[in-house]
PDB file of all heavy atoms in Angstrom:
ATOM      1  N   ARG A 217     -72.225-120.790  46.106  1.00 74.00           N
ATOM      2  CA  ARG A 217     -70.816-120.732  46.502  1.00 74.00           C
ATOM      3  C   ARG A 217     -69.869-121.381  45.502  1.00 74.00           C
ATOM      4  O   ARG A 217     -68.727-120.987  45.350  1.00 74.00           O
ATOM      5  CB  ARG A 217     -70.640-121.380  47.884  1.00 74.00           C
ATOM      6  CG  ARG A 217     -69.618-120.690  48.729  1.00 74.00           C
ATOM      7  CD  ARG A 217     -69.565-121.223  50.088  1.00 74.00           C
ATOM      8  NE  ARG A 217     -70.438-120.441  50.910  1.00 74.00           N
ATOM      9  CZ  ARG A 217     -70.956-120.825  52.069  1.00 74.00           C
ATOM     10  NH1 ARG A 217     -70.687-122.008  52.529  1.00 74.00           N
ATOM     11  NH2 ARG A 217     -71.755-120.042  52.737  1.00 74.00           N
ATOM     12  N   HIS A 218     -70.350-122.373  44.788  1.00 81.00           N
ATOM     13  CA  HIS A 218     -69.503-123.094  43.836  1.00 81.00           C
ATOM     14  C   HIS A 218     -69.288-122.310  42.570  1.00 81.00           C
ATOM     15  O   HIS A 218     -68.431-122.636  41.757  1.00 81.00           O
ATOM     16  CB  HIS A 218     -70.126-124.466  43.514  1.00 81.00           C
ATOM     17  CG  HIS A 218     -71.451-124.393  42.803  1.00 81.00           C
ATOM     18  ND1 HIS A 218     -72.641-124.153  43.509  1.00 81.00           N
ATOM     19  CD2 HIS A 218     -71.750-124.456  41.535  1.00 81.00           C
ATOM     20  CE1 HIS A 218     -73.616-124.070  42.642  1.00 81.00           C
ATOM     21  NE2 HIS A 218     -73.115-124.301  41.414  1.00 81.00           N
ATOM     22  N   SER A 219     -70.064-121.284  42.324  1.00 81.00           N
ATOM     23  CA  SER A 219     -69.965-120.505  41.108  1.00 81.00           C
ATOM     24  C   SER A 219     -69.036-119.278  41.287  1.00 81.00           C
ATOM     25  O   SER A 219     -68.682-118.954  42.393  1.00 81.00           O
ATOM     26  CB  SER A 219     -71.358-119.918  40.700  1.00 81.00           C
ATOM     27  OG  SER A 219     -72.302-120.955  40.536  1.00 81.00           O
ATOM     28  N   SER A 220     -68.638-118.689  40.185  1.00 87.00           N
ATOM     29  CA  SER A 220     -67.821-117.476  40.283  1.00 87.00           C
ATOM     30  C   SER A 220     -68.714-116.382  40.848  1.00 87.00           C
ATOM     31  O   SER A 220     -69.942-116.479  40.893  1.00 87.00           O
ATOM     32  CB  SER A 220     -67.352-117.067  38.886  1.00 87.00           C
ATOM     33  OG  SER A 220     -68.430-116.643  38.061  1.00 87.00           O
ATOM     34  N   GLU A 221     -68.065-115.308  41.352  1.00 87.00           N
ATOM     35  CA  GLU A 221     -68.835-114.230  41.978  1.00 87.00           C
ATOM     36  C   GLU A 221     -69.827-113.633  41.017  1.00 87.00           C
ATOM     37  O   GLU A 221     -70.979-113.397  41.409  1.00 87.00           O
ATOM     38  CB  GLU A 221     -67.860-113.142  42.546  1.00 87.00           C
ATOM     39  CG  GLU A 221     -67.128-113.523  43.736  1.00 87.00           C
ATOM     40  CD  GLU A 221     -66.271-112.419  44.271  1.00 87.00           C
ATOM     41  OE1 GLU A 221     -66.334-111.275  43.757  1.00 87.00           O
ATOM     42  OE2 GLU A 221     -65.527-112.666  45.232  1.00 87.00           O
ATOM     43  N   ARG A 222     -69.397-113.385  39.793  1.00 89.00           N
ATOM     44  CA  ARG A 222     -70.293-112.761  38.800  1.00 89.00           C
ATOM     45  C   ARG A 222     -71.477-113.670  38.492  1.00 89.00           C
ATOM     46  O   ARG A 222     -72.619-113.210  38.462  1.00 89.00           O
ATOM     47  CB  ARG A 222     -69.480-112.432  37.543  1.00 89.00           C
ATOM     48  CG  ARG A 222     -70.263-111.727  36.525  1.00 89.00           C
ATOM     49  CD  ARG A 222     -69.409-111.360  35.358  1.00 89.00           C
ATOM     50  NE  ARG A 222     -70.154-110.671  34.387  1.00 89.00           N
ATOM     51  CZ  ARG A 222     -69.708-110.348  33.170  1.00 89.00           C
ATOM     52  NH1 ARG A 222     -68.499-110.684  32.840  1.00 89.00           N
ATOM     53  NH2 ARG A 222     -70.445-109.709  32.326  1.00 89.00           N
ATOM     54  N   LYS A 223     -71.199-114.948  38.336  1.00 90.00           N
ATOM     55  CA  LYS A 223     -72.248-115.911  37.975  1.00 90.00           C
ATOM     56  C   LYS A 223     -73.214-116.088  39.162  1.00 90.00           C
ATOM     57  O   LYS A 223     -74.447-116.172  39.001  1.00 90.00           O
ATOM     58  CB  LYS A 223     -71.647-117.238  37.605  1.00 90.00           C
ATOM     59  CG  LYS A 223     -72.618-118.201  36.947  1.00 90.00           C
ATOM     60  CD  LYS A 223     -71.888-119.391  36.383  1.00 90.00           C
ATOM     61  CE  LYS A 223     -72.809-120.171  35.532  1.00 90.00           C
ATOM     62  NZ  LYS A 223     -72.152-121.313  34.875  1.00 90.00           N
ATOM     63  N   ALA A 224     -72.684-116.135  40.374  1.00 88.00           N
ATOM     64  CA  ALA A 224     -73.510-116.264  41.582  1.00 88.00           C
ATOM     65  C   ALA A 224     -74.432-115.041  41.723  1.00 88.00           C
ATOM     66  O   ALA A 224     -75.627-115.201  42.039  1.00 88.00           O
ATOM     67  CB  ALA A 224     -72.626-116.391  42.840  1.00 88.00           C
ATOM     68  N   ARG A 225     -73.916-113.872  41.475  1.00 90.00           N
ATOM     69  CA  ARG A 225     -74.755-112.665  41.588  1.00 90.00           C
ATOM     70  C   ARG A 225     -75.851-112.674  40.512  1.00 90.00           C
ATOM     71  O   ARG A 225     -77.012-112.308  40.765  1.00 90.00           O
ATOM     72  CB  ARG A 225     -73.880-111.425  41.467  1.00 90.00           C
ATOM     73  CG  ARG A 225     -73.019-111.233  42.734  1.00 90.00           C
ATOM     74  CD  ARG A 225     -72.157-110.020  42.652  1.00 90.00           C
ATOM     75  NE  ARG A 225     -71.423-109.920  43.919  1.00 90.00           N
ATOM     76  CZ  ARG A 225     -70.043-109.764  43.945  1.00 90.00           C
ATOM     77  NH1 ARG A 225     -69.368-109.630  42.818  1.00 90.00           N
ATOM     78  NH2 ARG A 225     -69.451-109.709  45.106  1.00 90.00           N
ATOM     79  N   TRP A 226     -75.510-113.083  39.331  1.00 91.00           N
ATOM     80  CA  TRP A 226     -76.508-113.170  38.249  1.00 91.00           C
ATOM     81  C   TRP A 226     -77.565-114.182  38.590  1.00 91.00           C
ATOM     82  O   TRP A 226     -78.772-113.947  38.369  1.00 91.00           O
ATOM     83  CB  TRP A 226     -75.827-113.450  36.941  1.00 91.00           C
ATOM     84  CG  TRP A 226     -76.818-113.611  35.811  1.00 91.00           C
ATOM     85  CD1 TRP A 226     -77.158-114.713  35.148  1.00 91.00           C
ATOM     86  CD2 TRP A 226     -77.629-112.579  35.258  1.00 91.00           C
ATOM     87  NE1 TRP A 226     -78.119-114.483  34.219  1.00 91.00           N
ATOM     88  CE2 TRP A 226     -78.440-113.167  34.251  1.00 91.00           C
ATOM     89  CE3 TRP A 226     -77.826-111.204  35.545  1.00 91.00           C
ATOM     90  CZ2 TRP A 226     -79.401-112.445  33.541  1.00 91.00           C
ATOM     91  CZ3 TRP A 226     -78.769-110.510  34.810  1.00 91.00           C
ATOM     92  CH2 TRP A 226     -79.508-111.105  33.825  1.00 91.00           C
ATOM     93  N   LYS A 227     -77.184-115.327  39.139  1.00 89.00           N
ATOM     94  CA  LYS A 227     -78.165-116.336  39.492  1.00 89.00           C
ATOM     95  C   LYS A 227     -79.155-115.823  40.548  1.00 89.00           C
ATOM     96  O   LYS A 227     -80.326-116.130  40.536  1.00 89.00           O
ATOM     97  CB  LYS A 227     -77.473-117.610  40.032  1.00 89.00           C
ATOM     98  CG  LYS A 227     -76.859-118.457  39.007  1.00 89.00           C
ATOM     99  CD  LYS A 227     -76.253-119.691  39.594  1.00 89.00           C
ATOM    100  CE  LYS A 227     -75.632-120.596  38.555  1.00 89.00           C
ATOM    101  NZ  LYS A 227     -75.013-121.771  39.152  1.00 89.00           N
ATOM    102  N   PHE A 228     -78.619-114.965  41.486  1.00 88.00           N
ATOM    103  CA  PHE A 228     -79.541-114.377  42.478  1.00 88.00           C
ATOM    104  C   PHE A 228     -80.470-113.398  41.795  1.00 88.00           C
ATOM    105  O   PHE A 228     -81.645-113.374  42.088  1.00 88.00           O
ATOM    106  CB  PHE A 228     -78.780-113.676  43.593  1.00 88.00           C
ATOM    107  CG  PHE A 228     -79.700-112.877  44.489  1.00 88.00           C
ATOM    108  CD1 PHE A 228     -80.504-113.509  45.383  1.00 88.00           C
ATOM    109  CD2 PHE A 228     -79.827-111.506  44.338  1.00 88.00           C
ATOM    110  CE1 PHE A 228     -81.410-112.799  46.179  1.00 88.00           C
ATOM    111  CE2 PHE A 228     -80.710-110.785  45.113  1.00 88.00           C
ATOM    112  CZ  PHE A 228     -81.506-111.431  46.015  1.00 88.00           C
ATOM    113  N   VAL A 229     -79.963-112.558  40.932  1.00 89.00           N
ATOM    114  CA  VAL A 229     -80.761-111.520  40.240  1.00 89.00           C
ATOM    115  C   VAL A 229     -81.910-112.170  39.481  1.00 89.00           C
ATOM    116  O   VAL A 229     -83.067-111.641  39.503  1.00 89.00           O
ATOM    117  CB  VAL A 229     -79.905-110.655  39.345  1.00 89.00           C
ATOM    118  CG1 VAL A 229     -80.748-109.774  38.424  1.00 89.00           C
ATOM    119  CG2 VAL A 229     -78.973-109.775  40.153  1.00 89.00           C
ATOM    120  N   ILE A 230     -81.693-113.327  38.815  1.00 90.00           N
ATOM    121  CA  ILE A 230     -82.759-113.940  38.021  1.00 90.00           C
ATOM    122  C   ILE A 230     -83.593-114.944  38.817  1.00 90.00           C
ATOM    123  O   ILE A 230     -84.531-115.536  38.267  1.00 90.00           O
ATOM    124  CB  ILE A 230     -82.198-114.578  36.763  1.00 90.00           C
ATOM    125  CG1 ILE A 230     -81.200-115.711  37.048  1.00 90.00           C
ATOM    126  CG2 ILE A 230     -81.588-113.530  35.864  1.00 90.00           C
ATOM    127  CD1 ILE A 230     -80.774-116.505  35.846  1.00 90.00           C
ATOM    128  N   SER A 231     -83.234-115.147  40.056  1.00 87.00           N
ATOM    129  CA  SER A 231     -84.055-116.048  40.912  1.00 87.00           C
ATOM    130  C   SER A 231     -85.429-115.418  41.214  1.00 87.00           C
ATOM    131  O   SER A 231     -85.515-114.164  41.122  1.00 87.00           O
ATOM    132  CB  SER A 231     -83.318-116.362  42.244  1.00 87.00           C
ATOM    133  OG  SER A 231     -83.321-115.248  43.083  1.00 87.00           O
ATOM    134  N   PRO A 232     -86.434-116.148  41.564  1.00 82.00           N
ATOM    135  CA  PRO A 232     -87.754-115.564  41.867  1.00 82.00           C
ATOM    136  C   PRO A 232     -87.705-114.463  42.913  1.00 82.00           C
ATOM    137  O   PRO A 232     -88.265-113.366  42.766  1.00 82.00           O
ATOM    138  CB  PRO A 232     -88.605-116.722  42.326  1.00 82.00           C
ATOM    139  CG  PRO A 232     -87.987-117.894  41.658  1.00 82.00           C
ATOM    140  CD  PRO A 232     -86.537-117.622  41.620  1.00 82.00           C
ATOM    141  N   LEU A 233     -86.966-114.698  44.057  1.00 81.00           N
ATOM    142  CA  LEU A 233     -86.869-113.656  45.069  1.00 81.00           C
ATOM    143  C   LEU A 233     -86.076-112.445  44.564  1.00 81.00           C
ATOM    144  O   LEU A 233     -86.401-111.332  44.927  1.00 81.00           O
ATOM    145  CB  LEU A 233     -86.222-114.228  46.332  1.00 81.00           C
ATOM    146  CG  LEU A 233     -87.090-115.214  47.115  1.00 81.00           C
ATOM    147  CD1 LEU A 233     -86.314-115.752  48.308  1.00 81.00           C
ATOM    148  CD2 LEU A 233     -88.390-114.590  47.542  1.00 81.00           C
ATOM    149  N   GLY A 234     -85.076-112.670  43.775  1.00 85.00           N
ATOM    150  CA  GLY A 234     -84.282-111.569  43.186  1.00 85.00           C
ATOM    151  C   GLY A 234     -85.137-110.716  42.259  1.00 85.00           C
ATOM    152  O   GLY A 234     -85.067-109.473  42.279  1.00 85.00           O
ATOM    153  N   VAL A 235     -85.996-111.362  41.454  1.00 84.00           N
ATOM    154  CA  VAL A 235     -86.860-110.622  40.543  1.00 84.00           C
ATOM    155  C   VAL A 235     -87.906-109.824  41.326  1.00 84.00           C
ATOM    156  O   VAL A 235     -88.150-108.642  40.987  1.00 84.00           O
ATOM    157  CB  VAL A 235     -87.527-111.586  39.524  1.00 84.00           C
ATOM    158  CG1 VAL A 235     -88.602-110.898  38.719  1.00 84.00           C
ATOM    159  CG2 VAL A 235     -86.471-112.196  38.590  1.00 84.00           C
ATOM    160  N   ILE A 236     -88.424-110.411  42.371  1.00 81.00           N
ATOM    161  CA  ILE A 236     -89.442-109.684  43.192  1.00 81.00           C
ATOM    162  C   ILE A 236     -88.765-108.482  43.854  1.00 81.00           C
ATOM    163  O   ILE A 236     -89.309-107.369  43.845  1.00 81.00           O
ATOM    164  CB  ILE A 236     -90.046-110.611  44.278  1.00 81.00           C
ATOM    165  CG1 ILE A 236     -91.021-111.600  43.600  1.00 81.00           C
ATOM    166  CG2 ILE A 236     -90.779-109.819  45.315  1.00 81.00           C
ATOM    167  CD1 ILE A 236     -91.532-112.676  44.540  1.00 81.00           C
ATOM    168  N   ASP A 237     -87.567-108.683  44.362  1.00 83.00           N
ATOM    169  CA  ASP A 237     -86.877-107.532  44.975  1.00 83.00           C
ATOM    170  C   ASP A 237     -86.585-106.421  43.917  1.00 83.00           C
ATOM    171  O   ASP A 237     -86.742-105.238  44.224  1.00 83.00           O
ATOM    172  CB  ASP A 237     -85.556-108.004  45.577  1.00 83.00           C
ATOM    173  CG  ASP A 237     -85.718-108.801  46.853  1.00 83.00           C
ATOM    174  OD1 ASP A 237     -86.848-108.844  47.384  1.00 83.00           O
ATOM    175  OD2 ASP A 237     -84.725-109.359  47.339  1.00 83.00           O
ATOM    176  N   LEU A 238     -86.164-106.807  42.749  1.00 84.00           N
ATOM    177  CA  LEU A 238     -85.876-105.824  41.705  1.00 84.00           C
ATOM    178  C   LEU A 238     -87.145-105.101  41.268  1.00 84.00           C
ATOM    179  O   LEU A 238     -87.155-103.854  41.165  1.00 84.00           O
ATOM    180  CB  LEU A 238     -85.233-106.514  40.518  1.00 84.00           C
ATOM    181  CG  LEU A 238     -84.835-105.560  39.358  1.00 84.00           C
ATOM    182  CD1 LEU A 238     -83.768-104.554  39.878  1.00 84.00           C
ATOM    183  CD2 LEU A 238     -84.244-106.337  38.204  1.00 84.00           C
TER     184      LEU A 238
END
Side-chain angles (χ1 to χ4, degrees):
R217 214 174 268 159
H218 64 280
S219 303
S220 68
E221 286 184 6
R222 185 176 181 187
K223 194 172 191 176
R225 290 180 179 129
W226 177 247
K227 284 181 180 180
F228 171 75
V229 168
I230 62 171
S231 71
L233 290 177
V235 171
I236 288 172
D237 287 351
L238 183 61

